[in-house]
């Protein structure tokens, strides 16, 4: 039998440009990675301590294990989105989001 037309998912129209907060709402800061360790309860995640010019280093849990070794991250400069609500990531409080990019090569 065929599904009734009322149960078929229809694609949504894209949201008009300008709805909601724009990129200017992001609090993106440049910092330095002070420490990197594999998450104690999640082998696919790193726990990073980042110096963002605040009184205390900011802890960020990232999923970069599959893309680069800890040694490649330690001591590097990073961009961190800071105005996200802190989240408990398998027992570790993550206080931001590290932004990453690649050149499209093997790096």
């Amino acid at each position: 039998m065929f599904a009734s037309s009322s149960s078929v998912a229809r694609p949504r129209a894209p949201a008009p440009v300008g709805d909601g907060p724009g990129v200017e709402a992001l609090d993106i800061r440049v910092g330095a990675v002070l420490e990197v360790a594999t998450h104690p309860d999640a082998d696919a995640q790193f726990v990073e301590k980042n110096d963002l010019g605040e009184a205390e280093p900011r802890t960020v849990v990232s999923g970069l294990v599959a893309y680069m070794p800890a040694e490649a991250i330690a001591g590097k400069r990073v961009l961190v989105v800071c105005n996200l609500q802190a989240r408990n990531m398998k027992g570790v409080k993550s206080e931001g989001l590290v932004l990453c990019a690649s050149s499209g090569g093997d790096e």
Side-chain angles (χ1 to χ4, degrees), residues 50-68:
N50 300 295
D51 179 2
L52 300 171
E54 300 170 313
E56 296 292 323
R58 193 177 281 241
T59 301
V60 176
V61 177
S62 71
L64 296 175
V65 170
Y67 303 100
M68 55 191 1

Side-chain angles (χ1 to χ4, degrees), residues 29-33 48 50 52 73 76-80 98-99:
R29 300 182 199 172
V30 177
V33 179
E48 304 156 20
N50 300 295
L52 300 171
I73 300 171
K76 299 291 185 186
R77 296 179 65 83
V78 291
L79 295 175
V80 178
V98 174
L99 297 177

